Amino acid sequence: MITGSQCRAARALVEISRPMLARRSEVSVDAIERFENVSGSLKRTEIQAIQDTLEELGAVFIPENGSGYGVRLKFNNLEAAEIARFECEGGLVADDRVP
């Protein structure tokens, strides 16, 4: 499950307003605002609906990994193709250990 801070950050990354997120996730604007401001809790189903909606829009949620929770954007098709092209430009892969 995501946190209110992750929700707020993801909304900023995918550039969606609370009212638009509310319409798409079918969770009220007031509930989203309370969740983001940590002054209220939501049902698991509501949090999951918000998370699913934000993921559909390109957010990737990073679970606790020792450095905290996070959120980032998915690569778009152009960026993914560019990365794949760069990965293939290095020549042969060899053992890089120094004897």
Side-chain angles (χ1 to χ4, degrees), residues 5-73:
S5 297
Q6 282 179 301
C7 179
R8 193 172 52 249
R11 267 194 326 99
L13 287 171
V14 300
E15 300 178 7
I16 189 172
S17 66
R18 280 186 188 132
M20 183 63 76
L21 178 58
R23 278 193 292 277
R24 292 185 69 144
S25 67
E26 299 179 354
V27 176
S28 76
V29 174
D30 291 338
I32 293 170
E33 183 175 5
R34 281 193 319 272
F35 179 59
E36 288 182 350
N37 293 326
V38 195
S39 62
S41 60
L42 299 180
K43 298 176 192 168
R44 289 181 67 83
T45 55
E46 291 173 316
I47 296 171
Q48 192 62 56
I50 291 169
Q51 182 173 342
D52 291 346
T53 301
L54 291 168
E55 286 174 341
E56 288 171 10
L57 294 169
V60 176
F61 294 97
I62 303 164
E64 169 63 52
N65 61 6
S67 298
Y69 295 96
V71 63
R72 68 170 181 82
L73 283 175

Side-chain angles (χ1 to χ4, degrees), residues 74-84:
K74 290 180 189 175
F75 294 117
N76 64 32
N77 290 338
L78 180 61
E79 291 167 328
E82 196 70 12
I83 290 168

